[in-house]
Amino acid sequence: MEPIVLAYIGIGLMVGLSGIGSIYGVSISGNAAIGAMKKDASAFGNYMVLSALPSTQGLYGFVGFFVMSGLLSGTVDWTVASAIFGAGIAMGLAGLFSGIRQGEVCASGIAAIGSGHKVFANTMILGVFPELYAILGLLVVILINGAL
């Protein structure tokens, strides 16, 4: 196997796992929004913002790809390929799990808003906490890229 193959597997994990995290997170919170609209359709704007919050993990995966894309060439050695692979795992797993968990936090907030509780701002604050770990994953990608 050539080193570039390992590097591309890392890039695939980075983009793919982060995107899957966003898909699950947005779906979880979107399903909660549909249920909450049955009770209170007037808060649709709040449901929409909270449902979209987990979509950022997929974007971070793409940003990571663009950060690392300058290193992708046929002359990549095993050290660089391993670093790209590790960065891909770090960003991918952080994006996957933070997207899912953020979707669950937002879904709980959406259900509470639908039940008449005024928790939009609190849900935004609590929903950002899982996001911080996706940002840390992207930071790892940037730091690894800077070290190469």
Side-chain angles (χ1 to χ4, degrees), residues 25-130:
V26 170
S27 298
I28 291 167
S29 56
N31 287 335
I34 296 296
M37 282 194 299
K38 293 176 185 174
K39 295 179 181 176
D40 180 13
S42 67
F44 176 73
N46 291 342
Y47 304 152
M48 184 180 66
V49 170
L50 291 173
S51 295
L53 202 57
S55 63
T56 54
Q57 280 78 2
L59 297 174
Y60 296 150
F62 271 112
V63 170
F65 163 71
F66 287 115
V67 167
M68 288 294 186
S69 65
L71 299 172
L72 296 173
S73 70
T75 59
V76 117
D77 64 13
W78 282 107
T79 302
V80 172
S82 299
I84 294 171
F85 182 76
I89 289 175
M91 179 67 244
L93 290 176
L96 173 67
F97 290 114
S98 69
I100 292 170
R101 300 307 287 188
Q102 189 176 45
E104 292 171 347
V105 170
C106 291
S108 295
I110 289 168
I113 292 168
S115 296
H117 302 282
K118 308 245 183 264
V119 295
F120 175 73
N122 295 344
T123 304
M124 286 290 291
I125 292 168
L126 295 173
V128 167
F129 292 146

